[in-house]
Amino acid sequence: MVRSIFKLSPGVQSYDWGKKGSASLAAQFGKASVDGFVIDEDKTYAELWMGTHPTLPSKLDDSTLLSDYIKSNNGLVGDKVIKKFEDSQHGNLPFLFKVLSIGTALSIQAHPDKTLARKLFDERPDVYKDPNHKPEMAIALTPFLAFLNFLPLPVLLLNLLIVPELQPIIPSALITQLGSSLTLPTTPSPDPFLYQPTVAPPSDEQKSILKQIFNALMSADKDTYTTAIRSLVERYKKGEDIHESEKGLVDLTLMLNDQYPDDIGILCVFFLNVVELKKGEAAFLEANSPHAYIKGDIIECMATSDNVVRAGLTPKLRDVSTLIEMLTYESGPGNKQLLKPINFNEQDDTSKLYDPPIAEFSVVKINLPAGGKTPHRKIEGPSIAIITQGKGSVSASSNEDEVDFERGQVIFIGADQEVQWEASEELEVFRAFVEA
């Protein structure tokens, strides 16, 4: 008999940027959901993977691969989803669901769109492991800090004018061009009140100038940028000659230098938005958008891919030329990246829907008090849910399938199932799904 609701055993990834031992939510949840998993307090645990990606595929309780099970039982995926995502008939979900525990900053990076992903995979499959794009969404489980896309251009221009360490790196002619395009002065001792953030999208000319500026930064000679970073760090540590507009970046700059000494990515504090998400807030990152997660714990959902183009804050391969060419060079306030949730149910507000403008996934967050219940309508495709707080159960109205669960456990729900969530303790659940 085919089960419509069942527990999954996910996978735990250990990367250097994760949190150590039991401090990692990924490890805590892994202990609750992966048979035989024991936390090593001296090891860093970074990610919990939930899905069918071949790098770390989820399994059923009898060690059957989730991909094999749903390939043999396509009704769990649903006809509409199979028609829209042909690879799903082979047991491959179009989304990958994760929990990330971030102890040190991840690399300055972007993810390719579908066309570029195919090209990179064909040319360098040893580096770019699959041909899929990777739009992604992050939902904060704890206060979460990240770089998200380029600063509003007036703010970026002000940084270029007030930070002396940038002047050997960014040609003055480009700074003059940017100022001219914004009709803002590029004279010494600028008045910061003239350089207010703007929500207007950049013109094609401004995108071209920004591309040249970012290329100058990322392609800078190592001796040049190392000298600049060391001078900057020394100035910040002394606390002298710091412009008022720099003060909010001092602690972050010093932290990043402690984590990645002399890395070019440190200087991105002057080029990218630094955004702090409160618990429950979400950001959506389109393809070809520069970003880096800095610290905190998040739920992350993405199209099923592991493609990353890196350019800073990393000991790994820096593919600067690809990154420079692929970026869209949109800019604006960091809150432009935020995604507001809406009610999933008409009858109550216990379930909040995070619905990014792509087809591969959406996420519902469920909050119930002890003893609370809430129904979820039928969803045309499959779901994976992670219990991040409390205990309870989920049951399908069409059959007798019911699963009890507790914090850290992971549940699969097949397509076209109307389900009931019930909390025996105060409950928080995140449910990722796809619909045609």
Side-chain angles (χ1 to χ4, degrees), residues 153-403:
L153 293 183
V155 179
L156 194 155
L157 175 61
L158 178 62
N159 287 341
L160 295 176
L161 297 173
I162 66 173
V163 180
E165 291 82 7
L166 295 177
Q167 287 156 21
I169 298 174
I170 308 301
S172 59
L174 290 176
I175 298 174
T176 300
Q177 286 180 45
L178 181 58
S180 177
S181 77
L182 295 165
T183 62
L184 289 172
T186 55
T187 52
S189 302
D191 179 355
F193 293 104
L194 295 175
Y195 300 81
Q196 296 300 311
T198 176
V199 296
S203 65
D204 289 343
E205 177 196 9
Q206 289 167 340
K207 288 181 181 180
S208 175
I209 297 169
L210 178 56
K211 180 179 180 179
Q212 294 174 72
I213 288 172
F214 197 59
N215 186 39
L217 174 71
M218 285 293 153
S219 304
D221 175 77
K222 185 174 182 179
D223 288 342
T224 301
Y225 73 70
T226 298
T227 300
I229 291 168
R230 291 178 180 178
S231 173
L232 176 70
V233 168
E234 182 179 4
R235 181 163 65 89
Y236 280 1
K237 283 183 176 179
K238 287 181 177 178
E240 299 172 357
D241 302 317
I242 300 175
H243 193 282
E244 188 67 30
S245 299
E246 289 181 88
K247 289 181 178 177
L249 298 174
V250 170
D251 290 345
L252 176 58
T253 300
L254 295 178
M255 184 189 82
L256 292 177
N257 188 66
D258 285 343
Q259 295 175 1
Y260 300 95
D262 301 336
D263 191 290
I264 186 64
I266 296 163
L267 297 178
C268 284
V269 298
F270 304 115
F271 294 82
L272 303 178
N273 290 291
V274 180
V275 179
E276 183 168 5
L277 300 187
K278 299 180 182 66
K279 178 177 168 61
E281 291 185 329
F284 174 65
L285 301 167
E286 298 175 330
N288 304 323
S289 173
H291 63 279
Y293 298 158
I294 299 171
K295 62 179 179 179
D297 301 279
I298 61 171
I299 289 287
E300 187 180 48
C301 200
M302 64 198 69
T304 300
S305 173
D306 201 24
N307 281 327
V308 180
V309 182
R310 300 178 179 88
L313 298 181
T314 180
K316 296 181 179 180
L317 172 71
R318 292 178 64 224
D319 192 350
V320 173
S321 59
T322 298
L323 186 83
I324 294 299
E325 289 303 318
M326 71 189 281
L327 298 181
T328 59
Y329 296 97
E330 296 294 339
S331 68
N335 60 14
K336 281 181 65 176
Q337 310 294 127
L338 301 189
L339 186 70
K340 300 272 188 192
I342 59 175
N343 282 350
F344 181 72
N345 290 335
E346 293 182 1
Q347 62 269 44
D348 62 48
D349 62 356
T350 60
S351 299
K352 295 291 186 180
L353 173 66
Y354 299 84
D355 194 21
I358 45 100
E360 283 86 351
F361 63 84
S362 300
V363 175
V364 176
K365 180 174 71 121
I366 305 157
N367 285 105
L368 288 173
K373 299 180 182 181
T374 191
H376 275 189
R377 62 167 175 80
K378 290 183 180 180
I379 291 176
E380 295 171 342
S383 306
I384 294 178
I386 172 82
I387 289 75
T388 53
Q389 181 181 332
K391 294 181 180 180
S393 65
V394 59
S395 57
S397 60
S398 61
N399 54 48
E400 295 183 0
D401 282 355
E402 180 173 356
V403 173

Side-chain angles (χ1 to χ4, degrees), residues 3 44-45 50 53 58 84 87 120 189 191 225 270 284 289 316 318 345 358 372 397 399 405 419 422 425 428:
R3 293 177 288 168
T44 54
Y45 298 98
M50 301 167 281
H53 194 285
S58 296
K84 187 161 189 173
D87 205 31
L120 293 174
S189 302
D191 179 355
Y225 73 70
F270 304 115
F284 174 65
S289 173
K316 296 181 179 180
R318 292 178 64 224
N345 290 335
I358 45 100
S397 60
N399 54 48
F405 52 68
V419 298
E422 184 170 354
E425 294 179 1
E428 180 182 74

